[in-house]
Amino acid sequence: MYGGGYGQQSYFDQQMQRMMEQKQLKDFMRMYSNLVSRCFDDCVVDFTSNKLNDKELTCVNRCTLKNMKLNERIGQRFAEENAKLMEDQARMGQ
Amino acid sequence: MYGGGYGQQSYFDQQMQRMMEQKQLKDFMRMYSNLVSRCFDDCVVDFTSNKLNDKELTCVNRCTLKNMKLNERIGQRFAEENAKLMEDQARMGQ
Amino acid sequence: MYGGGYGQQSYFDQQMQRMMEQKQLKDFMRMYSNLVSRCFDDCVVDFTSNKLNDKELTCVNRCTLKNMKLNERIGQRFAEENAKLMEDQARMGQ
Amino acid sequence: GGMGGAPGGQMDPNAQLAAAEQEMEMVTDMFARLGELCYQKCLLQRYSDEELTKAESVCTDRCVAKYFQVNREVSEKLAKYSQANQQ
Amino acid sequence: GGMGGAPGGQMDPNAQLAAAEQEMEMVTDMFARLGELCYQKCLLQRYSDEELTKAESVCTDRCVAKYFQVNREVSEKLAKYSQANQQ
Amino acid sequence: GGMGGAPGGQMDPNAQLAAAEQEMEMVTDMFARLGELCYQKCLLQRYSDEELTKAESVCTDRCVAKYFQVNREVSEKLAKYSQANQQ
């Protein structure tokens, strides 16, 4: 592009990048909210007090870590399967 | 078009149409994702293998068709009831 | 403000206000849809007729009121806890 | 009109567009919830067949009709409740 | 501030608007989830009455308080976990 | 490409952007649903430990693989069904 130079982003690329960033933030927030709800639901069972007891605290901590590991494992498998799917679609010329 | 005339869409109509199209695509995707989740949840119960077995395959196929028919039936009734509702509201001058 | 005039809103404030109004409407609609789904799910159990029977009607009415009171109570506690949280964050200089 | 019921009137086009979008959103959200509820209430999630049985079809029709009735009841009750709490 | 906690600073107005929207979205999403959870944990879904019982009210208060505690625990644990995994 | 499969071609940039957004939305929605389903199918929600057990890990891998197979089956069945109903 005349006089345009290296590293300059087109309007389209800028918008695309902005969208990706907002999407990532939104996805992170969804993951985070899911985690809080899940660990609350799985671990908090005692409503005779308004403070988490030791058993609940331990459960919440384990729940957080275990579900993060679950999410990561699913993420890896998902990426692999999605890559395979795109390959198949490319091979079929679609 | 010369003289303004027939068949020209206003900016408002264009935007409206664009919105409707995006909405339809979004609704279809939601329906589709629901269908996949529902049939996975109802039919896949065996995790001793990473391939769907014959029983699961049959179940998924029936689940897809049966739920499509369910969606269509609900869609028809929904349209009828919604039309009745709008009539009632119009009659009451709202 | 010189030349600017009192009570004039900046573009930013206008957009902010518009966003808040749309958000409130959306939140109300979500609350409303939740309420309908919840009371339908909790109260409607008889599908031998296409009209709500007296028991179901009574249930739906109580369900509506009771869940509105529940929502309000949660809203109050939520606001209190959120205020405490923001105080704590401010105190820690975050 | 319809389930949403956003008010009409003299609005600028952008607000009109936003209101129309809001209303459509409301209707499709209700539709999605209805789909989930009637699936749970009426479908035997066994799939011995790909057809809706007669019983499932009838149940579905009643499910939709009753959902609209619940919608109306909740809406009226909510209006009264809001009025009472504003006075 | 608040539950969301989007960072402030020198941003252009559009980004600021988007961040504010994001944060509000986060708070209302949390609120909706909390509503669902405390309904499930504290309400006897029988409706013999239109009033919250004393027990249900107390349970609701504790439910909200404990939800905020879980939120803090998860947030701290997650921060540590992310830090550990970046090194 | 990928799970969404929005068609490409000569589109104006805004429509292209909207399509890309739609497709990403589809993929992340599928991912979120998958997360919920495999959590329900594979995790013993007891948390006696913070590690995934061997059994849970294997179950998760199979859960994802089978979800993609269900996705393909539903997609093919739906295409046939739509075609049949249009004729």
Side-chain angles (χ1 to χ4, degrees), chain E residues 1 5-11 16 19 23:
Chain E
Q10 247 78 326
M11 295 192 287
Q16 229 174 309
E23 165 130 21

Side-chain angles (χ1 to χ4, degrees), chain B residues 11-12 15-17 19-20 22-24 26-27 30 34 38-39 41-43 58-67 69-86 88-89 94, chain D residues 1-5 13-14 16-18 20-21 24-25 27-32 34-39 42-54 56-58 60-61 64-65 67-68 71-72:
Chain B
Y11 175 74
F12 178 74
Q15 290 301 100
M16 200 66 180
Q17 200 192 323
M19 191 188 81
M20 299 283 283
Q22 288 197 0
K23 190 100 196 63
Q24 273 175 2
K26 213 176 138 188
D27 287 348
R30 172 149 71 166
N34 275 341
R38 195 175 281 180
C39 295
D41 202 23
D42 286 348
C43 296
T58 305
C59 180
V60 168
N61 285 333
R62 286 176 181 164
C63 171
T64 304
L65 290 174
K66 195 162 181 172
N67 275 287
K69 286 165 191 168
L70 180 68
N71 288 341
E72 283 166 9
R73 191 163 192 115
I74 293 175
Q76 288 162 6
R77 295 298 156 266
F78 186 85
E80 290 166 14
E81 293 285 344
N82 210 33
K84 261 198 269 175
L85 183 64
M86 286 170 79
D88 287 355
Q89 287 180 352
Q94 194 251 47
Chain D
M3 204 162 247
N14 275 331
Q16 230 175 306
L17 212 61
E21 204 170 350
M24 276 175 47
E25 192 56 41
V27 174
T28 57
D29 181 51
M30 283 273 183
F31 183 61
L34 185 58
E36 188 59 29
L37 289 166
C38 297
Y39 156 79
C42 296
L43 224 62
L44 289 158
Q45 290 127 37
R46 292 284 91 85
Y47 308 112
S48 58
D49 197 333
E50 70 186 49
E51 300 298 331
L52 289 176
T53 66
K54 182 81 193 140
E56 287 168 337
S57 300
V58 172
T60 302
D61 294 351
V64 177
Y67 184 82
F68 272 77
N71 185 58
R72 201 187 54 215

Side-chain angles (χ1 to χ4, degrees), chain F residues 10-38:
Chain F
Q10 247 78 328
M11 294 192 288
D12 79 280
N14 275 331
Q16 230 175 307
L17 212 61
E21 203 169 351
Q22 203 72 262
E23 165 129 23
M24 276 174 48
E25 192 56 41
M26 179 82 177
V27 174
T28 57
D29 181 52
M30 283 272 182
F31 183 62
R33 286 160 180 270
L34 185 58
E36 188 58 29
L37 289 166
C38 298

Side-chain angles (χ1 to χ4, degrees), chain A:
Chain A
M1 194 184 296
Y2 178 70
Y6 305 90
Q8 270 206 350
Q9 280 187 308
S10 68
Y11 174 75
F12 178 74
D13 290 339
Q14 278 181 354
Q15 289 302 99
M16 200 68 179
Q17 200 192 322
R18 183 185 209 125
M19 192 187 80
M20 299 284 284
E21 285 167 6
Q22 287 197 2
K23 189 103 194 64
Q24 274 176 3
L25 182 55
K26 213 176 137 188
D27 288 347
F28 174 78
M29 281 175 166
R30 172 149 72 166
M31 186 278 294
Y32 176 73
S33 302
N34 276 341
L35 201 54
V36 174
S37 293
R38 194 174 282 179
C39 295
F40 178 87
D41 202 24
D42 287 348
C43 296
V44 181
V45 288
D46 168 25
F47 294 96
T48 62
S49 151
N50 68 355
K51 289 253 174 295
L52 293 176
N53 61 38
D54 286 350
K55 213 175 143 192
E56 288 171 334
L57 267 173
T58 306
C59 179
V60 168
N61 285 334
R62 286 176 180 163
C63 172
T64 305
L65 290 174
K66 194 160 182 174
N67 274 287
M68 279 307 290
K69 286 165 192 169
L70 179 69
N71 288 341
E72 283 167 10
R73 191 164 192 115
I74 293 175
Q76 288 162 5
R77 295 298 156 265
F78 186 86
E80 289 167 13
E81 293 284 344
N82 211 33
K84 263 198 267 174
L85 182 63
M86 287 171 77
E87 246 174 66
D88 287 355
Q89 287 180 351
R91 200 178 307 125
M92 297 194 305
Q94 196 249 49

Side-chain angles (χ1 to χ4, degrees), chain C residues 24-87:
Chain C
Q24 273 174 2
L25 183 55
K26 213 176 137 189
D27 288 348
F28 174 78
M29 282 176 165
R30 172 148 73 166
M31 185 279 294
Y32 177 74
S33 302
N34 276 341
L35 200 54
V36 174
S37 294
R38 194 174 283 179
C39 295
F40 179 87
D41 202 25
D42 287 348
C43 295
V44 181
V45 288
D46 169 25
F47 293 96
T48 61
S49 151
N50 69 355
K51 289 251 175 298
L52 293 175
N53 61 38
D54 285 350
K55 213 174 142 191
E56 288 172 335
L57 267 173
T58 305
C59 180
V60 168
N61 284 333
R62 285 177 182 162
C63 171
T64 304
L65 290 174
K66 194 161 182 173
N67 274 288
M68 280 306 290
K69 285 165 192 167
L70 179 68
N71 288 341
E72 283 166 11
R73 191 166 192 114
I74 293 175
Q76 287 162 7
R77 293 300 155 265
F78 186 85
E80 290 166 14
E81 292 285 344
N82 211 34
K84 261 198 269 175
L85 183 63
M86 287 171 77
E87 245 175 67

